[in-house]
Amino acid sequence: MKRRSATAALGSLLAAAPALAQPMSYLQTFGPAAHPATVLGWGLGAISLFVMAIIAILVLAATFRPRPRVGPRQLAVTRDAGGTAWIYVGVGLTLATLIGCMVWTMVALAAVVHPPVAPKISIEVHGNQWWWGVRYRDDDPSRMFTTANEIHVPVGEPVRIEVSSSDVIHSFWVPQLAGKTDVIPGQTNVTWLQADRPGTYRGQCGEFCGAQHAGMGIYVIADAPAQFATWRNAQVEPAPPPASTAARQGYGVFVARCGACHTIRGTNAGGLIGPDLTHLMSRHTIAAGLLPNNPGNLAGWIANAQALKPGSRMPSIPLSGPELGAVVAYLTTLH
Ligand code: HEC
Ligand SMILES: [Cu+2]
């Protein structure tokens, strides 16, 4: 039983070809910000195992090698001639291996610290207990926009990421694309990532930050360049005015009950406590990766945020059935 599950685990590890099979695995990576470190990790692991094996063999050989019998008036310990050569050779090989590993480590670190070309896209990622605010910079201020918990990037292009925090120390970590970067209040740290394959890469806060630390996920979605441009152009737009009667009612409820915490660009809701909801329906999940984004989960979240994500900075909001239905009807127009 045990052997079978171990084999299955190894099998799935080796078969981890599609990025999504192991969404949080750092053993297989997909871009130049991560790849040199992954190769280094595997390489140092292999070297360590090899050294372990050699030392084990030497210890066993020394323990069990045949020795001349000790006579009645002889010391039990005698010194063979020529043993010091083992020490010289051993220290020499060890030093060479350690220096080699150090040089390789420095080369790998130098390779991941800066992108190969200057990034054209610059994103601010803001850690909050327990969700991620995201702002896309642009030279043209009217093309800047804010979103949350989901970053789109064009495939094959380096993207500059500036991280900062509004409360405690978090850590920005998308293991298949880059190493961790600390997200520290009062300080802006800069990192970068690049996805060489289209796909969805899951990230996670990597530094314990309170009750919902584990509920602080983020997704990086790598799109073909044309698709990325379409997404970006859509995000820049404000939300359309509510069209149906239900959506108009929902909009009224939203501005009154939710607008102090949430922004929907193009409306009177301009709160900054929670995620920007202008294009809520373009996101795949809500509440930092907690739930798939669909009308049922939206209703459940609004009525019961504290049951679904205890401690979250969004209170459960008591609305009547029709009010809840109307708010969800309005939110689902925010594509
Ligand atoms: C006191 C501030 C506050 C109020 C009031 C509030 N929210 Fe929130 N809301 C938040 C915070 C903070 C989050 C992020 C929670 C998390 O992920 O930990 C959030 C998350 C959300 C999300 C998920 C967004 C995403 O992309 O993950 C939705 C949808 C939402 N709120 C809708 C509403 C609606 C609708 C109302 C009004 C009925 C409302 N909120 C009222 C603070 C608030
Ligand atoms: Cu965190």
Side-chain angles (χ1 to χ4, degrees):
M1 237 9 230
K2 218 174 195 174
R3 164 128 37 97
R4 209 196 284 147
S5 62
T7 323
L10 189 67
S12 62
L13 191 75
L14 295 176
L20 289 182
Q22 310 275 334
M24 290 291 291
S25 170
Y26 52 80
L27 299 174
Q28 204 198 12
T29 50
F30 296 90
H35 200 64
T38 313
V39 175
L40 176 75
W42 281 105
L44 293 185
I47 291 172
S48 309
L49 281 178
F50 184 67
V51 169
M52 277 254 301
I54 290 185
I55 289 179
I57 290 168
L58 288 177
V59 168
L60 289 176
T63 311
F64 294 110
R65 86 190 160 115
R67 290 188 181 75
R69 284 211 161 272
V70 180
R73 277 198 204 104
Q74 267 180 304
L75 278 178
V77 179
T78 56
R79 178 184 287 181
D80 301 343
T84 40
W86 283 95
I87 296 180
Y88 291 136
V89 172
V91 170
L93 286 178
T94 309
L95 258 184
T97 311
L98 285 177
I99 291 175
C101 289
M102 189 184 75
V103 171
W104 189 7
T105 303
M106 289 164 84
V107 169
L109 289 182
V112 299
V113 74
H114 292 301
V117 294
K120 290 200 289 268
I121 296 167
S122 188
I123 305 174
E124 290 167 26
V125 173
H126 201 67
N128 303 279
Q129 283 175 321
W130 290 280
W131 58 281
W132 302 93
V134 178
R135 202 162 83 103
Y136 280 68
R137 292 250 187 88
D138 201 290
D139 291 338
D140 173 358
S142 70
R143 287 188 53 81
M144 289 202 197
F145 64 87
T146 305
T147 175
N149 300 325
E150 222 172 89
I151 298 175
H152 282 246
V153 299
V155 83
E157 235 190 79
V159 174
R160 178 187 156 95
I161 309 233
E162 276 184 22
V163 299
S164 56
S165 167
S166 59
D167 35 48
V168 300
I169 301 179
H170 304 273
S171 175
F172 177 73
W173 188 39
V174 188
Q176 293 183 318
L177 298 179
K180 290 179 182 175
T181 303
D182 271 358
V183 179
I184 300 172
Q187 178 171 327
T188 301
N189 284 346
V190 180
T191 181
W192 67 286
L193 52 78
Q194 172 173 336
D196 281 343
R197 278 201 215 173
T200 303
Y201 302 88
R202 196 193 148 95
Q204 174 67 38
C205 178
E207 173 95 37
F208 180 71
C209 59
Q212 287 297 338
H213 163 64
M216 192 169 163
I218 188 165
Y219 284 92
V220 174
I221 298 171
D223 299 323
Q227 238 179 319
F228 171 73
T230 310
W231 175 85
R232 189 177 188 168
N233 290 336
Q235 294 290 317
V236 169
E237 295 299 317
S244 69
T245 317
R248 265 194 297 277
Q249 279 167 359
Y251 172 70
V253 177
F254 189 90
V255 172
R257 305 293 297 274
C258 326
C261 289
H262 290 286
T263 293
I264 295 181
R265 279 173 275 134
T267 75
N268 291 333
L272 296 172
I273 310 286
D276 185 301
L277 302 180
T278 311
H279 296 284
L280 173 66
M281 297 317 285
S282 72
R283 304 204 275 270
H284 295 85
T285 65
I286 54 170
L290 186 71
L291 299 168
N293 186 2
N294 58 46
N297 282 339
L298 281 172
W301 170 255
I302 294 162
N304 267 319
Q306 288 303 315
L308 293 165
K309 195 169 177 179
S312 152
R313 299 293 189 249
M314 168 145 161
S316 302
I317 297 180
L319 297 175
S320 70
E323 280 175 328
L324 184 59
V327 167
V328 172
Y330 171 58
L331 291 181
T332 52
T333 66
L334 303 172
H335 288 288

Coordinates of all heavy atoms in Angstrom, one line a residue, residues 129-131 148-149 215 253-254 257-262 273-277 280 283 285-288 298 301-302 309 312-315 317 319 327 331, ligand 1:
Q129 N -4.2 42.3 4.5 CA -4.8 41.2 5.2 C -6.2 41.0 4.6 O -7.0 41.8 4.9 CB -4.9 41.4 6.7 CG -3.5 41.3 7.4 CD -3.5 41.6 8.9 OE1 -4.2 42.6 9.2 NE2 -2.8 40.9 9.7
W130 N -6.6 40.0 3.8 CA -5.8 38.9 3.3 C -6.2 38.8 1.8 O -6.8 37.9 1.4 CB -6.1 37.7 4.1 CG -5.5 37.8 5.5 CD1 -4.2 37.5 5.8 CD2 -6.2 38.1 6.7 NE1 -4.0 37.7 7.2 CE2 -5.2 38.1 7.7 CE3 -7.5 38.5 7.0 CZ2 -5.5 38.4 9.0 CZ3 -7.8 38.8 8.3 CH2 -6.8 38.7 9.3
W131 N -5.7 39.8 1.1 CA -6.0 39.9 -0.4 C -4.9 40.7 -1.0 O -4.2 41.5 -0.3 CB -7.4 40.3 -0.7 CG -7.7 41.7 -0.1 CD1 -8.0 42.0 1.2 CD2 -7.7 42.9 -0.9 NE1 -8.2 43.4 1.3 CE2 -8.0 44.0 0.1 CE3 -7.4 43.3 -2.2 CZ2 -8.1 45.3 -0.3 CZ3 -7.5 44.6 -2.6 CH2 -7.8 45.6 -1.6
A148 N -7.6 43.2 -8.6 CA -7.3 42.5 -7.4 C -7.1 41.0 -7.6 O -7.8 40.4 -8.4 CB -8.3 42.7 -6.3
N149 N -6.1 40.5 -6.9 CA -6.0 39.0 -6.8 C -5.7 38.3 -8.1 O -5.7 37.0 -8.0 CB -7.2 38.4 -6.1 CG -7.5 39.0 -4.7 OD1 -6.5 39.3 -4.0 ND2 -8.7 39.1 -4.3
G215 N -5.5 31.9 3.2 CA -6.5 32.3 2.3 C -6.1 33.5 1.5 O -7.0 34.2 1.0
V253 N -28.4 49.6 -3.8 CA -28.0 48.9 -2.6 C -26.5 48.9 -2.5 O -25.9 49.2 -1.4 CB -28.5 47.4 -2.6 CG1 -28.0 46.7 -1.4 CG2 -30.0 47.3 -2.7
F254 N -25.8 48.7 -3.6 CA -24.3 48.7 -3.6 C -23.7 50.0 -3.1 O -22.9 50.0 -2.2 CB -23.8 48.3 -4.9 CG -22.3 48.0 -4.9 CD1 -21.8 46.8 -4.6 CD2 -21.4 49.1 -5.0 CE1 -20.4 46.6 -4.5 CE2 -20.0 48.9 -4.9 CZ -19.5 47.6 -4.7
R257 N -24.5 50.3 0.7 CA -24.1 49.4 1.7 C -22.6 48.9 1.5 O -22.0 48.4 2.4 CB -25.0 48.1 1.7 CG -26.4 48.4 1.9 CD -26.7 48.9 3.3 NE -26.4 47.9 4.3 CZ -27.2 47.0 4.7 NH1 -28.4 46.9 4.2 NH2 -26.8 46.1 5.7
C258 N -22.1 49.1 0.3 CA -20.8 48.5 0.0 C -19.8 49.6 -0.5 O -18.6 49.4 -0.5 CB -20.9 47.5 -1.1 SG -22.4 46.5 -1.1
G259 N -20.3 50.7 -0.9 CA -19.5 51.7 -1.6 C -18.4 52.4 -0.7 O -17.5 52.9 -1.2
A260 N -18.6 52.3 0.6 CA -17.6 52.9 1.5 C -16.3 52.0 1.5 O -15.3 52.6 1.8 CB -18.2 52.9 2.9
C261 N -16.4 50.8 1.1 CA -15.3 49.9 1.1 C -14.8 49.5 -0.3 O -13.6 49.1 -0.5 CB -15.5 48.6 1.9 SG -15.7 48.9 3.6
H262 N -15.7 49.6 -1.3 CA -15.3 49.1 -2.6 C -15.5 50.2 -3.7 O -16.4 51.0 -3.6 CB -16.2 47.9 -3.1 CG -16.0 46.7 -2.3 ND1 -14.9 45.9 -2.5 CD2 -16.7 46.1 -1.3 CE1 -15.0 44.8 -1.7 NE2 -16.1 44.9 -1.0
I273 N -11.2 50.2 1.0 CA -10.8 49.2 2.0 C -10.7 47.8 1.4 O -9.9 46.9 1.8 CB -11.9 49.1 3.1 CG1 -12.2 50.5 3.7 CG2 -11.6 48.1 4.2 CD1 -11.1 51.1 4.5
G274 N -11.6 47.5 0.4 CA -11.6 46.2 -0.2 C -11.2 46.3 -1.7 O -10.9 47.3 -2.2
P275 N -11.3 45.1 -2.4 CA -10.8 45.1 -3.8 C -11.7 45.9 -4.7 O -12.9 46.1 -4.5 CB -11.0 43.6 -4.1 CG -11.1 42.8 -2.9 CD -11.6 43.8 -1.8
D276 N -11.1 46.5 -5.7 CA -11.8 47.2 -6.8 C -12.7 46.2 -7.5 O -12.2 45.1 -7.9 CB -10.7 47.8 -7.8 CG -11.3 48.7 -8.8 OD1 -12.2 48.1 -9.6 OD2 -11.0 49.8 -8.9
L277 N -13.9 46.5 -7.7 CA -14.9 45.5 -8.3 C -15.3 45.9 -9.7 O -16.2 45.4 -10.3 CB -16.1 45.4 -7.4 CG -15.9 44.9 -6.0 CD1 -17.2 44.8 -5.2 CD2 -15.1 43.6 -5.9
L280 N -15.2 43.0 -11.9 CA -15.3 41.8 -11.0 C -15.4 40.5 -11.8 O -14.7 39.5 -11.5 CB -16.4 41.9 -10.0 CG -16.7 40.7 -9.1 CD1 -15.6 40.4 -8.2 CD2 -18.0 40.9 -8.3
R283 N -12.7 38.2 -13.3 CA -11.8 37.4 -12.4 C -12.3 36.0 -12.3 O -13.6 35.8 -12.2 CB -11.6 38.1 -11.1 CG -11.1 39.5 -11.2 CD -10.4 40.0 -10.0 NE -11.2 40.6 -9.0 CZ -11.5 41.9 -8.9 NH1 -11.1 42.7 -9.8 NH2 -12.2 42.3 -7.9
T285 N -11.7 33.9 -9.6 CA -12.1 33.6 -8.2 C -12.4 34.8 -7.5 O -12.2 35.9 -7.9 CB -10.9 32.9 -7.5 OG1 -9.8 33.8 -7.4 CG2 -10.4 31.6 -8.3
I286 N -13.0 34.7 -6.3 CA -13.2 35.8 -5.4 C -12.6 35.5 -4.0 O -12.3 34.3 -3.7 CB -14.7 36.1 -5.2 CG1 -15.5 34.9 -4.7 CG2 -15.4 36.7 -6.4 CD1 -16.9 35.2 -4.2
A287 N -12.4 36.6 -3.3 CA -11.8 36.5 -1.9 C -10.4 35.8 -2.0 O -10.1 35.0 -1.2 CB -12.7 35.7 -1.0
A288 N -9.5 36.3 -2.9 CA -8.1 35.9 -3.0 C -8.0 34.4 -3.2 O -7.3 33.7 -2.5 CB -7.4 36.4 -1.8
L298 N -21.0 34.4 -5.1 CA -21.0 35.9 -4.8 C -22.1 36.1 -3.7 O -21.8 36.8 -2.7 CB -21.4 36.7 -6.0 CG -20.2 36.9 -7.0 CD1 -20.7 37.6 -8.3 CD2 -19.1 37.8 -6.3
W301 N -20.9 34.7 -0.4 CA -19.8 35.6 0.1 C -20.4 36.8 0.8 O -20.0 37.2 1.9 CB -18.8 35.9 -1.0 CG -17.8 37.0 -0.6 CD1 -17.8 38.3 -1.0 CD2 -16.7 36.8 0.3 NE1 -16.8 38.9 -0.4 CE2 -16.1 38.0 0.4 CE3 -16.2 35.7 1.0 CZ2 -14.9 38.2 1.2 CZ3 -15.1 35.9 1.8 CH2 -14.4 37.1 1.9
I302 N -21.3 37.5 0.1 CA -21.8 38.8 0.6 C -22.6 38.6 1.9 O -22.4 39.3 2.9 CB -22.7 39.5 -0.5 CG1 -21.9 39.9 -1.7 CG2 -23.4 40.7 0.1 CD1 -22.7 40.1 -3.0
K309 N -14.7 33.0 5.3 CA -13.3 33.5 5.5 C -13.2 34.2 6.8 O -13.1 35.4 6.9 CB -12.8 34.4 4.3 CG -11.4 34.6 4.2 CD -11.0 35.3 2.9 CE -9.5 35.5 2.8 NZ -9.1 36.2 1.5
S312 N -11.8 37.8 8.0 CA -11.7 38.7 6.8 C -12.2 40.1 7.1 O -13.0 40.3 8.0 CB -12.5 38.1 5.7 OG -12.9 39.1 4.8
R313 N -11.5 41.1 6.5 CA -11.9 42.5 6.7 C -13.2 42.9 6.1 O -13.6 44.0 6.0 CB -10.8 43.4 6.2 CG -9.5 43.2 6.9 CD -9.5 43.6 8.4 NE -8.2 43.6 9.0 CZ -7.8 42.7 9.9 NH1 -8.6 41.8 10.3 NH2 -6.6 42.8 10.4
M314 N -13.9 41.9 5.5 CA -15.3 42.2 5.0 C -16.3 41.6 5.9 O -16.2 40.4 6.2 CB -15.5 41.6 3.6 CG -16.9 41.6 3.2 SD -17.2 41.9 1.4 CE -18.9 41.3 1.3
P315 N -17.2 42.4 6.5 CA -18.2 41.8 7.4 C -19.2 41.1 6.6 O -19.4 41.3 5.4 CB -18.8 43.1 8.0 CG -18.5 44.2 7.0 CD -17.3 43.9 6.3
I317 N -22.8 40.7 5.5 CA -23.7 41.9 5.4 C -25.2 41.4 5.3 O -25.6 40.7 4.4 CB -23.4 42.8 4.2 CG1 -21.9 43.3 4.4 CG2 -24.3 43.9 4.0 CD1 -21.4 44.1 3.4
L319 N -28.6 41.5 4.3 CA -29.4 42.1 3.3 C -30.7 41.2 3.2 O -30.6 40.1 3.5 CB -28.7 42.1 1.9 CG -27.4 42.9 1.8 CD1 -26.9 42.7 0.4 CD2 -27.7 44.4 2.0
V327 N -28.3 42.9 -5.7 CA -26.8 43.3 -5.7 C -26.1 42.3 -6.6 O -25.2 42.7 -7.4 CB -26.2 43.2 -4.3 CG1 -24.7 43.3 -4.3 CG2 -26.7 44.4 -3.5
L331 N -23.8 43.0 -9.7 CA -22.3 42.7 -9.8 C -22.0 41.8 -11.1 O -21.0 42.0 -11.7 CB -21.9 41.9 -8.6 CG -21.9 42.6 -7.2 CD1 -21.4 41.7 -6.1 CD2 -20.9 43.8 -7.3
Ligands
HEC1 C1 -16.0 47.1 5.8 C2 -15.6 47.1 4.4 C3 -16.4 46.3 3.4 C4 -17.8 46.4 3.1 C5 -18.8 47.3 3.8 C6 -18.0 45.5 2.1 N1 -16.9 44.8 1.7 FE1 -16.7 43.5 0.2 N2 -14.7 43.2 0.7 C7 -14.1 43.9 1.7 C8 -12.8 43.3 1.9 C9 -11.7 43.8 2.8 C10 -12.7 42.3 0.9 C11 -11.5 41.4 0.7 C12 -11.7 40.1 1.6 C13 -10.7 39.1 1.4 O1 -10.5 38.5 0.3 O2 -10.1 38.7 2.4 C14 -13.9 42.3 0.2 C15 -14.2 41.4 -0.8 C16 -15.4 41.4 -1.6 C17 -15.6 40.7 -2.8 C18 -14.6 39.7 -3.5 C19 -13.8 40.5 -4.4 C20 -12.6 39.8 -5.0 O3 -12.3 40.0 -6.2 O4 -12.0 38.9 -4.3 C21 -16.8 41.0 -3.3 C22 -17.5 40.5 -4.5 C23 -17.4 41.9 -2.3 N3 -16.5 42.2 -1.3 C24 -18.6 42.5 -2.4 C25 -19.2 43.3 -1.5 C26 -20.6 43.8 -1.5 C27 -21.6 43.4 -2.6 C28 -20.7 44.5 -0.4 C29 -22.0 45.2 0.0 C30 -23.2 44.4 0.2 C31 -19.5 44.6 0.3 N4 -18.6 43.8 -0.4 C32 -19.3 45.3 1.5 C33 -14.5 44.9 2.4 C34 -15.9 45.3 2.5

